[in-house]
Amino acid sequence: MYDVYAVREDFPVLKEVVYLDSTATTQTPIPAVEAMVEYFYKYAGNHGRGAHRLARETTNRYEDARETVASFLNTEPSKTIFMKNTTEGINLIANSYPWEAGDHIVTTLLEHHSNLLPWLRLQKKGVSVTIVNPDSRGRIDNSLIENAFTEKTKLIAITQVSNVFGSVQDVKSITKIAHRNGIKVLIDGAQSAGHMPVNLKDLGCDFFATAGHKGLLGPQGTGVLYIKEPETLESASLGGGTVSAVSGLTYVLEPSPACFEAGTPNIPGVIGLGKAVEYVEKIGVPEIEKHEMELSREAAKRLSELEHVEVYGPEERVGIVPFNVIGLHAHDVALILDQTRKICIRSGHHCAIPITRFLKVDSTVRASFALYNTREEVDILVNAVEGLKALVS
Ligand code: PLP
């Protein structure tokens, strides 16, 4: 097991606050920040567009990052496309897939708006959408998904880890069921990559979208989209960098990934992401998963022992503990914890209004743990929440 206190030295802000909002975005380790600074100071150029030394160095480093990320997810660089976040990756698929009126999509009530709204909008094109409900702890029964499939179903879009509950869906089995029915699978991996082993070859899904700025510890403005058969899709977004020839009224697209990365990408961000992924790999994803699960299990158990607190989600959760203090609004709880203990914790509907309403509340407080959090921080959280009892009794 790694030394969490040594790891914390790579995240200077953790000396200032108790950071429990890694589900929204994680902190970035010093080696990744230094890689970005090095880009600006030593070789900033554009990617894939020039013969001079800075352009060549930039292109090499950017493509090195792609190889690192592809190997981390166990796939090929040609199927690994850099995006600005998870949302952009999901929208790229929603906007590029050749939908026909009458097509059908299955998704779930658990989804973040980023994996819901792009599908709902397709209703304007005559595509219908079925939303499968989870149980009260945020787990989806695979048989409900299979029952929702029709002859017209083209896609199932599902999150691997719920950002509201921390519950994990068995996306490998869902992929098998979908493929048996000739249906493609898109996995929203925003909360899984970096927090648990993700092996794309083993999962077998058709599309996988994740963030660079969450479990992969990269900077904000980075994301990754995997497409199993990139040659079957033409991106809805074309421009500089995506074509090999243009003549008169016709054009020839570059092969993947270039044809999906129109315009100048977030070059420093991707280079930082590559370094951040190396950092995660060095620590080890199974160790990170174990650490985060232990912290969240402990926090959930101790918070649920408090009479004035309601905790949501399953027992086995990936680093996420949603709760409410009965009698206090979630935003008030978050503000008080910040003001009194410098605890940075998220409150609200977490960009997932349907599933928050399903819990019959309008918001929750969400503690989320990453590789750099400690048992002492769990103590600080639980003690602070315990102290709120005086305000509600
Ligand atoms: N999907 C899930 C499950 C998320 O938790 C989030 C963000 O928290 C997103 C999608 C959107 O991610 P991004 O901000 O990288 O677009």
Side-chain angles (χ1 to χ4, degrees):
M1 203 56 195
Y2 63 94
D3 177 356
V4 64
Y5 301 99
V7 164
R8 286 171 73 83
E9 293 299 314
D10 290 325
F11 301 86
V13 75
L14 300 180
K15 292 194 170 67
E16 310 299 326
V17 297
V18 176
Y19 189 71
L20 299 181
D21 194 18
S22 292
T23 294
T25 200
T26 49
Q27 301 300 324
T28 301
I30 288 173
V33 175
E34 282 175 345
M36 291 187 276
V37 171
E38 192 192 11
Y39 164 78
F40 286 114
Y41 284 176
K42 295 202 174 146
Y43 64 93
N46 212 327
H47 163 264
R49 285 162 172 73
H52 64 77
R53 67 188 62 201
L54 299 192
R56 288 201 312 271
E57 182 71 11
T58 293
T59 302
N60 290 342
R61 302 272 193 126
Y62 185 94
E63 293 307 322
D64 286 350
R66 195 189 308 278
E67 284 192 15
T68 301
V69 173
S71 133
F72 179 76
L73 296 172
N74 194 23
T75 181
E76 291 98 68
S78 63
K79 301 178 179 190
T80 306
I81 298 146
F82 287 123
M83 298 274 113
K84 69 171 191 266
N85 48 38
T86 319
T87 306
E88 191 183 26
I90 296 171
N91 273 275
L92 189 144
I93 301 303
N95 296 333
S96 308
Y97 193 84
W99 303 106
E100 287 173 9
D103 284 349
H104 176 237
I105 295 171
V106 175
T107 186
T108 85
L109 200 72
L110 278 180
E111 306 309 317
H112 187 282
H113 296 159
S114 296
N115 196 30
L116 183 64
L117 305 187
W119 314 120
L120 295 186
R121 183 168 55 189
L122 289 171
Q123 292 174 111
K124 291 183 190 157
K125 292 189 175 172
V127 174
S128 63
V129 179
T130 297
I131 296 177
V132 174
N133 280 359
D135 68 12
S136 61
R137 287 171 175 247
R139 293 162 303 203
I140 301 277
D141 178 344
N142 289 358
S143 66
L144 296 181
I145 289 185
E146 190 159 18
N147 290 344
F149 290 159
T150 71
E151 284 190 352
K152 294 284 191 179
T153 309
K154 290 280 157 38
L155 181 84
I156 155 102
I158 184 164
T159 188
Q160 188 166 15
V161 173
S162 156
N163 67 311
V164 170
F165 290 101
S167 52
V168 184
Q169 315 311 323
D170 179 1
V171 289
K172 187 174 168 181
S173 300
I174 291 170
T175 300
K176 279 197 185 135
I177 297 168
H179 285 175
R180 261 205 321 266
N181 289 275
I183 295 163
K184 296 210 181 294
V185 179
L186 179 142
I187 297 175
D188 175 350
Q191 301 300 345
S192 59
H195 295 294
M196 57 192 287
V198 171
N199 178 336
L200 292 176
K201 287 227 168 81
D202 185 51
L203 284 182
C205 59
D206 302 278
F207 312 106
F208 183 91
T210 192
H213 63 98
K214 297 185 193 278
L216 302 184
L217 305 184
Q220 293 68 33
T222 59
V224 183
L225 173 67
Y226 159 79
I227 306 182
K228 186 155 87 179
E229 294 174 333
E231 59 289 349
T232 61
L233 272 192
E234 178 168 327
S235 173
S237 174
L238 296 181
T242 58
V243 282
S244 55
V246 186
S247 148
L249 295 178
T250 62
Y251 58 88
V252 179
L253 287 178
E254 286 275 11
S256 179
C259 59
F260 293 104
E261 292 180 359
T264 300
N266 179 358
I267 299 165
V270 163
I271 289 168
L273 172 61
K275 267 281 170 260
V277 168
E278 282 176 21
Y279 185 93
V280 170
E281 265 185 322
K282 212 161 118 198
I283 292 176
V285 175
E287 285 75 18
I288 292 172
E289 181 185 32
K290 184 165 178 281
H291 178 74
E292 294 176 359
M293 277 184 128
E294 275 170 16
L295 293 185
S296 52
R297 200 180 293 131
E298 160 113 4
K301 180 176 166 291
R302 290 177 58 193
L303 285 173
S304 58
E305 283 162 9
L306 302 176
E307 253 173 44
H308 60 297
V309 174
E310 186 166 11
V311 177
Y312 311 98
E315 231 150 70
E316 282 306 294
R317 53 178 86 232
V318 175
I320 294 174
V321 184
F323 63 94
N324 269 316
V325 175
I326 298 157
L328 274 184
H329 194 275
H331 287 322
D332 291 330
V333 173
L335 267 177
I336 296 169
L337 296 184
D338 177 27
Q339 297 295 311
T340 58
R341 305 289 187 101
K342 292 188 181 171
I343 298 174
C344 299
I345 197 166
R346 178 76 184 266
S347 53
H349 54 59
H350 316 294
C351 300
I353 293 175
I355 191 61
T356 306
R357 295 279 183 275
F358 181 75
L359 288 173
K360 303 205 173 13
V361 293
D362 74 346
S363 54
T364 63
V365 188
R366 180 182 68 190
S368 54
F369 299 93
L371 74 168
Y372 40 61
N373 291 116
T374 62
R375 280 186 179 270
E376 289 82 353
E377 289 178 319
V378 174
D379 288 342
I380 293 170
L381 171 70
V382 175
N383 291 338
V385 175
E386 194 169 13
L388 297 178
K389 187 159 186 217
L391 295 179
V392 292
S393 52

